[in-house]
mmCIF file of all heavy atoms in Angstrom:
data_model
loop_
_atom_site.group_PDB
_atom_site.id
_atom_site.type_symbol
_atom_site.label_atom_id
_atom_site.label_comp_id
_atom_site.label_asym_id
_atom_site.label_seq_id
_atom_site.Cartn_x
_atom_site.Cartn_y
_atom_site.Cartn_z
ATOM 1 N N GLY A 12 72.939 104.405 168.071
ATOM 2 C CA GLY A 12 72.207 103.178 167.987
ATOM 3 C C GLY A 12 72.002 102.756 166.475
ATOM 4 O O GLY A 12 72.278 101.676 166.058
ATOM 5 N N ARG A 49 86.100 60.152 137.572
ATOM 6 C CA ARG A 49 85.634 59.235 136.431
ATOM 7 C C ARG A 49 86.852 59.046 135.450
ATOM 8 O O ARG A 49 86.911 57.871 134.922
ATOM 9 C CB ARG A 49 84.626 60.064 135.620
ATOM 10 C CG ARG A 49 83.291 60.076 136.284
ATOM 11 C CD ARG A 49 82.179 60.747 135.400
ATOM 12 N NE ARG A 49 81.193 61.218 136.234
ATOM 13 C CZ ARG A 49 80.979 62.528 136.444
ATOM 14 N NH1 ARG A 49 81.689 63.405 135.730
ATOM 15 N NH2 ARG A 49 80.024 62.999 137.294
ATOM 16 N N GLU A 52 88.870 56.323 137.177
ATOM 17 C CA GLU A 52 88.035 55.056 137.131
ATOM 18 C C GLU A 52 88.213 54.403 135.887
ATOM 19 O O GLU A 52 88.462 53.188 135.751
ATOM 20 C CB GLU A 52 86.704 55.381 137.493
ATOM 21 C CG GLU A 52 85.941 54.061 137.811
ATOM 22 C CD GLU A 52 84.471 54.367 138.159
ATOM 23 O OE1 GLU A 52 83.982 55.453 138.315
ATOM 24 O OE2 GLU A 52 83.730 53.265 138.333
#
Side-chain angles (χ1 to χ4, degrees):
R49 284 189 208 106
E52 187 176 3

